[in-house]
Amino acid sequence: MTREEIKTYLPHREPMLLIDEVHIEQDENGNNISKSTYFVTGYEYFLEGHFPNYPVVPGVILCEMMGQSSAMLMKEELIGRTPFFTGMTDVRFKRPAVPHDTLEITARIYNRRALIFFVDASIQVKGELCASGKFTFALVDNKRL
C-alpha cells in the first residue's frame, strides 16, 4: 500500500503519518505480518533539535512508527475506529536511526481480546535491529471521540 492508501485506514496525517508504504504478508503459520518502510530524509520536524550536529530519530517516534505499522494489521476493524496505545513493554533501542536510513518495520499480532490487540514489532536498518517492543492497542469507536 502507498502512503495515500494507508490514509484510508489510519487517521494520521502529515507530519505524523510515519510510514511510507506497507505490505501485509503471511508467515509460515498463516498469520498476517505487516512490513512497512519509512525513509528518514533528514528534514523531519522531529530531527530539528534532536540532536544538533547529530540528528537521531527519537525513540518515541520509533515507537509511533511501530504502532502505525501494527495498526495496519487491524485495518478491517479500523473503519470507523481510531487505534490508541494502551501499553508498551519490553521496548528496546539497539542502534540509532539517522538521516538517509531506510527503516524496515515488522509487526505481528500475537493475541487479541475483542477490540484490544497485542502486537510484537521491530525496526531494522540494513538488517540490523534498531528498536523492538510489545505494544497493546485499543480500537475506539469514532462516535465516542
Side-chain angles (χ1 to χ4, degrees):
M1 266 184 249
T2 65
R3 203 168 172 87
E4 289 305 309
E5 292 169 316
I6 292 166
K7 288 179 184 180
T8 63
Y9 298 101
L10 290 182
H12 304 77
R13 296 296 179 265
E14 291 77 9
M16 282 305 294
L17 181 59
L18 298 171
I19 53 177
D20 292 327
E21 62 181 30
V22 64
H23 302 281
I24 306 297
E25 303 174 1
Q26 288 192 334
D27 67 12
E28 59 280 350
N29 299 322
N31 300 313
N32 285 342
I33 296 176
S34 172
K35 296 200 173 195
S36 305
T37 58
Y38 181 80
F39 180 72
V40 183
T41 66
Y43 297 103
E44 289 84 356
Y45 74 93
F46 49 80
L47 293 176
E48 289 178 20
H50 196 268
F51 299 100
N53 302 319
Y54 184 66
V56 175
V57 177
V60 68
I61 296 294
L62 295 173
C63 287
E64 180 64 26
M65 290 173 177
M66 289 186 279
Q68 290 180 21
S69 186
S70 297
M72 293 307 297
L73 290 166
M74 312 159 203
K75 66 182 187 174
E76 309 309 326
E77 288 91 347
L78 282 175
I79 297 171
R81 297 184 180 105
T82 299
F84 286 94
F85 277 121
T86 58
M88 297 180 193
T89 58
D90 301 324
V91 175
R92 301 287 183 264
F93 304 100
K94 300 294 186 177
R95 84 176 291 286
V98 298
H100 310 295
D101 279 347
T102 299
L103 307 183
E104 299 165 352
I105 308 144
T106 303
R108 73 170 186 83
I109 296 169
Y110 67 87
N111 199 357
R112 176 183 180 176
R113 294 185 192 121
L115 293 176
I116 306 293
F117 293 83
F118 302 86
V119 180
D120 280 322
S122 65
I123 299 177
Q124 292 193 344
V125 176
K126 297 179 187 168
E128 186 180 347
L129 185 62
C130 176
S132 63
K134 294 182 182 298
F135 303 92
T136 308
F137 301 89
L139 302 189
V140 177
D141 287 332
N142 290 342
K143 295 174 192 168
R144 294 181 57 203
L145 301 179

